Amino acid sequence: MFRHPYADPVTSPKRKTILITGASAGLGAEMARQFAALGHDLALCARRTDQLDTIRAGILAAHPDRRVEVRALDVADDDQVFEVFRAFQQDFGTVDRVIVNAGIGKGAPLGTGGYDANRETAMTNFVAALAQCEAAMEIFRAQDSGHLVVISSMAAMRGMPKAMTTYGATKAGVAHLAEGLRNELHGKPIKVSVIYPGYIASEMNSGVDPAKVRGMVSTEKGVRAMVDAIEKEKGSACVPPLPWAPMSVVMRYAPLPVFKRLS
Ligand SMILES: NC(=O)c1ccc[n+]([C@@H]2O[C@H](COP(=O)([O-])OP(=O)(O)OC[C@H]3O[C@@H](n4cnc5c(N)ncnc54)[C@H](OP(=O)(O)O)[C@@H]3O)[C@@H](O)[C@H]2O)c1
């Protein structure tokens, strides 16, 4: 019998409850919808709770059996990160997977008066991601199980020029945090994944003309590749795999004059 790829599964998924930060828009909101369709319960957080409420209502209308809880969270507030993660764990009893997704893309070439934007990106994408990884790992170590997922970027593959320099550095930083944890936890029940998305349509790049960006895909298609890699608990994944998996090799190893023409 034909089953739609997002049809409700017959059995419960392995990681039942998923906590997603930055779930009010873009990739986080679409991950919530696609994971709900696969049978997961959801703990969703972001600053814009009106948008979280709308996403929750949409998911429950499509999947009345799912459980979806929402909480306000500004990830730049360290204490709030720990409080909100612990509160979600109390709500559900366990948190099986945490997706460290909240992020911003502000930036300016270094030394051009854009320190405020670069600092905000560094604090949100790296320091706040560290707080989220700490809070998640506290829960997972107590449970002796869990799946930590960090959303990095293809911009982490190589030092990026101009307005992307700080953003790329934060994404390389979070990838290394996750890879360090994966090294520590190899062979143990706690799993760690790093996801490297290419260009996926979202609020973050709403000003970008898709026709002018090579490899840009729709939110739905890009997130489907993310969800597939996360469900398979891959240690690391470039998504969508084409063109980004082969492109990651080019980005890392191409001589600088060649890479400069690509970036
Ligand atoms: N789209 C792409 O092409 C692409 C490519 C590579 C990597 N990524 C990464 O994917 C992740 C999601 O990006 P996106 O494209 O979906 O961006 P987006 O559409 O701009 O959504 C960003 C999300 O992060 C949340 N957020 C931002 N600052 C926050 C804060 N201080 N506290 C709590 N939540 C915060 C926003 O929620 P509120 O504003 O409601 O708080 C929003 O839900 C980011 O880490 C981004 O770097 C995206």
Side-chain angles (χ1 to χ4, degrees), residues 21-28 45-49 51 73-76 100-104 124-125 151-154 167 171 196-205 226:
T21 68
S24 62
L27 312 188
C45 49
R47 292 168 298 185
R48 288 170 290 175
T49 50
Q51 292 196 196
L73 174 61
D74 181 347
V75 294
V100 178
N101 169 72
I104 59 171
T124 305
N125 292 7
I151 306 301
S152 175
S153 167
M154 287 301 298
Y167 177 81
K171 292 297 175 179
Y196 298 91
Y199 292 115
I200 301 173
S202 74
E203 237 177 47
M204 183 180 280
N205 48 35
M226 295 172 74

Side-chain angles (χ1 to χ4, degrees), residues 19 21 43 45 71-91 95 98 100 126-141 148 177:
L19 189 165
T21 68
C45 49
R71 286 177 185 272
L73 174 61
D74 181 347
V75 294
D77 180 336
D78 295 9
D79 291 341
Q80 212 185 32
V81 170
F82 287 89
E83 283 162 21
V84 166
F85 278 35
R86 286 175 192 147
F88 275 135
Q89 194 211 12
Q90 290 199 335
D91 287 343
V95 173
V98 171
V100 178
F126 184 74
V127 178
L130 171 62
Q132 293 163 71
C133 290
E134 293 264 11
M137 286 303 301
E138 271 189 17
I139 292 171
F140 294 162
R141 288 187 201 276
L148 178 66
L177 270 184

Side-chain angles (χ1 to χ4, degrees), residues 33-218:
R33 292 186 197 100
Q34 293 193 18
F35 279 124
L38 292 172
H40 295 273
D41 291 334
L42 296 163
L44 305 179
C45 49
R47 292 168 298 185
R48 288 170 290 175
T49 50
D50 52 339
Q51 292 196 196
L52 290 176
D53 288 338
T54 304
I55 290 159
R56 177 178 188 273
I59 290 172
L60 292 179
H63 313 286
D65 294 343
R66 295 297 102 80
R67 180 169 178 199
V68 183
E69 301 292 342
V70 302
R71 286 177 185 272
L73 174 61
D74 181 347
V75 294
D77 180 336
D78 295 9
D79 291 341
Q80 212 185 32
V81 170
F82 287 89
E83 283 162 21
V84 166
F85 278 35
R86 286 175 192 147
F88 275 135
Q89 194 211 12
Q90 290 199 335
D91 287 343
F92 287 94
T94 57
V95 173
D96 304 308
R97 176 180 288 151
V98 171
I99 304 183
V100 178
N101 169 72
I104 59 171
K106 291 183 189 175
L110 269 64
T112 63
Y115 176 61
D116 285 352
N118 287 331
R119 185 181 188 285
E120 192 182 340
T121 293
M123 296 305 284
T124 305
N125 292 7
F126 184 74
V127 178
L130 171 62
Q132 293 163 71
C133 290
E134 293 264 11
M137 286 303 301
E138 271 189 17
I139 292 171
F140 294 162
R141 288 187 201 276
Q143 293 176 173
D144 198 26
S145 74
H147 180 204
L148 178 66
V149 180
V150 169
I151 306 301
S152 175
S153 167
M154 287 301 298
M157 295 296 162
R158 183 87 170 252
M160 301 301 284
K162 301 184 182 173
M164 292 283 284
T165 301
T166 303
Y167 177 81
T170 65
K171 292 297 175 179
V174 292
H176 267 244
L177 270 184
E179 284 167 13
L181 277 167
R182 199 163 75 239
N183 180 339
E184 176 193 329
L185 297 165
H186 183 69
K188 305 244 166 70
I190 301 170
K191 303 297 172 207
V192 183
S193 300
V194 191
I195 305 298
Y196 298 91
Y199 292 115
I200 301 173
S202 74
E203 237 177 47
M204 183 180 280
N205 48 35
S206 55
V208 173
D209 179 355
K212 290 195 178 142
V213 181
R214 259 177 298 172
M216 181 106 161
V217 294
S218 70

